[in-house]
Amino acid sequence: MNDSTTTLDGPVTDDALTRPFEGASPYDAYVHASVLNTLQQPLTEAPDEMGFLVTTQVMELWFTLIVHEWRTAKVAFAKDDLPAAMDALERSRRALTALSGAWAPIAALTPARFNGFRAAFGRASGFQSAMYRHMEFLLGDKSAGLLRSHRGDPAVHEALAETYREPSLYDEVLAHLHRQGLPVPRHVRERDVTSPYDGDPGVVDTWRHVYTGPQHHPHLALGELLTDIAELVTRWRYDHVLVVRRAMGAKTGSAGSAGLAWLEQRAARPVFPDLWEVRGDV
């Protein structure tokens, strides 16, 4: 080894890295890490509670990003800007992949370890998450009852009510396809968008036109990207089922729900059902 390599053994110094900040660091001023790092407040001495809190809070951040991207895609579809809509959906697909990985810290909780802190969160339950409810409403899974449950917090309720009243992401997709000349049925385009969307044979026909057409058409790429999103949402839901089944079995949920049975029922609801139905017709 020659003398020119010996500098690698010494410490690397950079005046810019050691210069004192005037107040909070620019990083903290932008990211607000000091705020985020104060939000974990365990109520017990159970060693697993911190991981449960961090996991839950990280998921809330991913929900926020996914909702942001789906709203961005909605605006783009309304403008018939398919490339911008696809970009937003692709970003949401990557966020959904990260969301699924967020289960890892608590995926192997045993019943005894979960019981070590379960009583501390009382009647709190993940299904009360307003941001996750925004996600479901954007997917077209509307529920007046689940909207009503947030009436105690006026700001949260009104924001969620706005998402409830607006067309879903899928409604905007179908409106875009109609404007591009595809045969989306009128009764679907003019339906009550506050009702849950469970699929329609006419829309399956619309997607059949896409899937039996040119295999490199942008609309086929859109259908596949939406299918990716539907699959990732479904996988996240089933991962939730498995985490709960492993940690508490079939016990009643903390907020009085049926717990595992309720989660299994929600997980079984197909996302973008027409895109799954059409695959048997092509």
Side-chain angles (χ1 to χ4, degrees):
M1 182 177 293
N2 59 44
D3 291 342
S4 64
T5 63
T6 59
T7 56
L8 297 177
D9 298 329
V12 177
T13 61
D14 188 329
D15 290 343
L17 298 180
T18 58
R19 187 180 303 126
F21 305 118
E22 295 181 4
S25 71
Y27 172 83
D28 194 59
Y30 182 68
V31 178
H32 302 293
S34 60
V35 176
L36 288 173
N37 294 333
T38 64
L39 299 180
Q40 300 76 45
Q41 300 173 22
L43 300 178
T44 73
E45 296 297 322
D48 294 290
E49 187 181 5
M50 186 67 165
F52 184 84
L53 281 169
V54 170
T55 295
T56 304
Q57 291 171 353
V58 166
M59 286 188 179
E60 284 291 328
L61 292 173
W62 285 125
F63 295 161
T64 299
L65 177 58
I66 292 162
V67 166
H68 169 78
E69 298 296 3
W70 287 350
R71 285 174 173 159
T72 300
K74 277 185 58 180
V75 171
F77 279 122
K79 296 177 179 178
D80 292 323
D81 187 347
L82 183 58
M86 293 282 282
D87 284 347
L89 293 178
E90 175 58 30
R91 291 192 298 268
S92 80
R93 188 189 68 79
R94 293 194 294 266
L96 282 162
T97 299
L99 172 65
S100 292
W103 284 119
I106 62 171
L109 277 176
T110 64
R113 287 164 58 188
F114 184 49
N115 288 338
F117 62 90
R118 187 187 180 203
F121 53 80
R123 296 185 60 79
S125 175
F127 85 81
Q128 297 163 357
S129 167
M131 196 54 67
Y132 181 69
R133 197 64 54 216
H134 279 285
M135 282 181 58
E136 291 207 323
F137 286 1
L138 282 165
L139 290 172
D141 197 356
K142 305 287 184 73
S143 168
L146 291 174
L147 171 62
R148 278 196 303 273
S149 67
H150 291 277
R151 284 188 303 184
D153 189 330
V156 169
H157 179 265
E158 180 50 37
L160 192 55
E162 186 174 351
T163 304
Y164 174 78
R165 293 188 295 261
E166 292 176 346
S168 70
L169 169 64
Y170 193 61
D171 289 325
E172 293 290 5
V173 168
L174 296 180
H176 166 74
L177 293 178
H178 170 70
R179 290 190 296 271
Q180 301 308 302
L182 285 163
V184 179
R186 182 175 180 176
H187 68 270
V188 173
R189 291 184 279 113
E190 297 179 356
R191 74 183 192 87
D192 177 6
V193 297
T194 65
S195 298
Y197 182 79
D198 295 317
D200 184 271
V203 177
V204 176
D205 288 339
T206 301
W207 284 114
R208 188 180 297 111
H209 279 273
V210 172
Y211 274 82
T212 57
Q215 292 302 290
H216 297 287
H217 194 283
H219 290 156
L220 180 60
L222 170 60
E224 287 299 277
L225 183 50
L226 290 171
T227 303
D228 284 345
I229 289 169
E231 181 174 329
L232 286 165
V233 171
T234 302
R235 287 181 184 277
W236 181 86
R237 289 173 174 174
Y238 276 109
D239 282 347
H240 191 182
V241 168
L242 291 174
V243 170
V244 170
R245 182 181 291 159
R246 186 162 180 166
M248 57 175 276
K251 294 177 184 175
T252 302
S254 54
S257 73
L260 184 64
W262 189 85
L263 289 175
E264 289 174 334
Q265 181 184 33
R266 299 296 294 180
R269 289 182 62 80
V271 179
F272 308 146
D274 305 313
L275 284 163
W276 298 106
E277 183 70 23
V278 73
R279 304 182 110 74
D281 297 338
V282 175

